[in-house]
């Protein structure tokens, strides 16, 4: 027989009983979170000094904007993202606000249509320049030419994969800050060899972001064959590659904001490379949900950053990720909470609960929803019954709550639940056999906890 415990088991703690002391003072976190990638690029532009030159690049593909970042920064120019078929109204408005004398379109007409050029001209720019080659590699080489034509003495060139973006995002920011160039490669073919060889005058060193899976050993050998020094930053993943690059080029104690962007998508990071480069700041990558390790937090301490600027909204970089909370810490807190729950059940003579995948998705989803909405600690999942039935449960219940602090506090929330008869009843209910645990953080500083119980 199926039964639901929603009326009895689904009881939330009163928020006031769960709020602890405020977290200790820490570096401030700010967000540039437009409604989309185009508005985020505008928000970044508005945080930079006004400029007489604006670069426009596609917001739907990474290669052109990636190679353009150091060139734009060398000219103190802004980078705005547009659609291939036209300029969003909010970007047109920003062009009118800046009133640049030159707008530079990055990419061929296949990347940015003639309509983009026409709309840019209509905003009042006197000069519309297009830099676009036959492919992404050729475009990156033409951007290097532009950099030199504008007076930059390029001694270092980053050679990044033209197939994927993650390893090159942090490299683009460092290149933008240090006056380096960045070109793309699709392999050590004759075309790339000819184009790079024709442009190595004055170059002292090549830098390769990423492992040999990103840029091959053939390319590295070809670059070494030019007689220039070559170094590689082969992090274990995209996040560690960004850390390695910054450890080599961002001075200890340099201060400033730590710029944080998602390593799972490219648009905000493309804008971030120019933004961080012009401001002299360091850009790091994060998993959208949490920090994959403590490396970026360690970097925050090493460079003595004054705070964090997050590029993108909470769906791009969650509040947990923005605070550099390691995924392992969340997992450890959930594990600690499960141990405490099963210890309480053992003391009451009950069998332990087993983690359940479907219940875990339910609990995690509602914890994230509570965090996204900065809800009270007593807000229950309105879809609990429907989701429980979809999980084929014979019975179900839910505990929710929240605490304040710099990290999750399993002991505190468990103590609050055990002091509440209704919550304690859920934890000790003999009929429950499985559990899902969700933990997430809201932008208000609250940690949200969800326990979804089930009977199978």
């Amino acid at each position: 027989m199926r039964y639901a415990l929603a009326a009895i088991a689904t009881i939330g703690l009163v928020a006031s009983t769960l709020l602890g002391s405020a977290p200790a003072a820490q570096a401030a976190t700010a967000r540039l979170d437009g409604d989309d990638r185009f508005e985020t690029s505008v928000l970044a532009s508005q945080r930079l000094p006004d400029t007489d030159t604006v670069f426009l690049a596609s917001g739907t593909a990474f290669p052109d904007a990636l190679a353009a970042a150091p060139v734009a920064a060398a000219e103190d120019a802004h980078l705005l993202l547009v659609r291939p078929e036209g300029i969003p109204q909010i970007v047109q408005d920003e062009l009118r606000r800046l009133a640049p004398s030159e707008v530079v379109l990055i990419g061929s007409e296949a990347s940015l249509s003639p309509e983009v050029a026409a709309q840019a001209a209509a905003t009042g720019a006197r000069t519309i320049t297009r830099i676009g080659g036959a492919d992404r590699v050729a475009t990156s080489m033409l951007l290097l030419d532009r950099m030199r034509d504008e007076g930059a003495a390029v001694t270092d060139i980053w050679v990044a994969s033209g197939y994927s973006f993650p390893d090159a995002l942090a490299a683009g920011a460092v290149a933008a800050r240090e006056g380096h160039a960045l070109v793309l490669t699709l392999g050590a073919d004759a075309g790339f060899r000819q184009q790079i060889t024709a442009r190595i005058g004055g170059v002292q060193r090549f830098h390769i972001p990423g492992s040999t899976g990103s840029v091959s050993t053939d390319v590295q050998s070809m670059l070494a064959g030019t007689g220039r020094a070559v170094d590689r930053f082969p992090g274990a993943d995209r996040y560690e590659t960004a850390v390695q690059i910054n450890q080599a080029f961002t001075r200890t104690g340099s201060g400033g904001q730590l710029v944080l962007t998602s390593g799972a998508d490219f648009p905000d990071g493309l804008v971030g490379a120019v933004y961080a480069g012009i401001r002299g700041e360091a850009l790091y990558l994060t998993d959208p949900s949490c920090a994959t390790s403590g490396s970026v937090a360690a970097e925050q301490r090493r460079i003595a950053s004054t705070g964090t600027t997050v590029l993108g909204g909470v769906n791009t970089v969650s509040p947990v990720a923005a605070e550099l909370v390691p995924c392992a810490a969340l997992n450890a807190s959930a594990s600690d909470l499960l141990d405490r729950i099963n210890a309480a059940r053992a003391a009451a003579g009950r069998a332990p609960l087993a983690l359940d995948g479907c219940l875990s998705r339910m609990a995690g989803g509602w914890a994230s929803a509570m965090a996204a909405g900065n809800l009270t600690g007593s807000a229950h999942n309105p879809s609990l019954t429907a989701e429980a039935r979809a999980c084929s449960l014979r019975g179900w219940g839910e505990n929710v709550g929240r605490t304040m602090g710099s990290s999750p506090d399993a002991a505190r929330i468990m103590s609050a639940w055990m002091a509440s008869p209704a919550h304690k009843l859920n934890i000790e209910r003999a009929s429950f056999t499985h559990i899902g645990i969700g933990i997430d953080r809201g932008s208000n500083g609250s940690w949200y906890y969800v326990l979804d119980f089930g009977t199978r």
Side-chain angles (χ1 to χ4, degrees), residues 65-372:
L66 184 63
V71 188
E75 300 181 36
D76 290 325
H78 296 191
L79 173 66
L80 294 172
L81 301 183
V82 300
R83 295 187 177 92
E85 69 276 10
I87 304 177
Q89 186 60 51
I90 194 167
V91 178
Q92 292 187 43
D93 293 343
E94 177 65 0
L95 285 172
R96 290 189 175 91
R97 183 189 74 83
L98 291 169
S101 61
E102 182 183 20
V103 172
V104 182
L105 309 184
I106 308 302
S108 68
E109 291 186 355
S111 297
L112 296 181
S113 70
E115 181 63 18
V116 172
Q119 290 177 343
T123 65
R126 294 191 299 273
T127 302
I128 306 296
T129 303
R130 184 183 290 273
I131 301 176
D135 57 24
R136 60 192 61 187
V137 174
T139 296
S140 72
M141 297 292 176
L142 293 175
L143 284 163
L144 168 57
D145 294 342
R146 161 83 181 211
M147 197 170 178
R148 284 174 163 158
D149 290 344
E150 293 297 315
V154 178
T155 60
D156 292 59
I157 296 179
W158 291 81
V159 180
S161 171
Y163 291 114
S164 60
F165 66 88
D167 292 331
L169 288 178
V174 165
R177 190 182 70 215
E178 300 294 327
H180 301 171
L182 187 150
V183 299
L184 303 179
T185 180
L186 300 176
D189 56 83
F192 176 74
R193 183 190 303 271
Q194 180 181 8
Q195 291 183 82
I196 196 66
T197 301
R199 292 171 169 84
I200 59 173
V203 174
Q204 299 173 8
R205 183 177 294 272
F206 291 106
H207 309 286
I208 300 175
S211 68
T212 56
S214 180
V215 176
S216 71
T217 54
D218 288 344
V219 171
Q220 184 170 351
S221 297
M222 191 213 76
L223 295 173
T226 67
R228 275 66 178 176
V230 182
D231 53 27
R232 182 187 287 273
F233 299 89
D237 55 32
R238 61 193 64 184
Y239 311 108
E240 295 304 314
T241 294
V243 168
Q244 282 188 3
I245 290 170
N246 278 294
Q247 286 175 338
F249 289 95
T250 302
R251 182 175 53 83
T252 298
S254 56
Q257 290 277 297
L258 182 151
V259 181
L260 191 66
T261 189
S262 170
D265 204 358
F266 59 83
D268 296 334
L270 298 177
V271 172
V274 178
Y275 176 84
I278 290 176
R279 291 170 59 93
E281 295 171 342
L283 182 142
Y284 294 82
L285 308 183
T286 182
D287 181 271
S289 57
C290 51
T292 55
S293 73
S295 298
V296 178
E299 280 291 278
Q300 186 180 52
R301 295 188 293 272
R302 182 183 71 82
I303 67 176
S305 77
T306 55
T308 302
T309 298
V310 180
L311 300 176
V314 295
N315 291 327
T316 302
V317 177
S318 75
V320 172
E323 296 296 335
L324 307 180
V325 177
C327 302
L330 288 182
N331 294 337
S333 294
S335 179
D336 184 11
L337 198 48
L338 179 61
D339 288 344
R340 292 174 185 275
I341 289 166
N342 280 332
R345 288 178 65 85
R350 309 298 191 220
L353 298 176
L355 280 175
D356 179 89
C358 198
L359 283 166
S360 294
R361 287 190 293 275
M362 286 171 55
W366 184 239
S368 295
M370 293 178 76

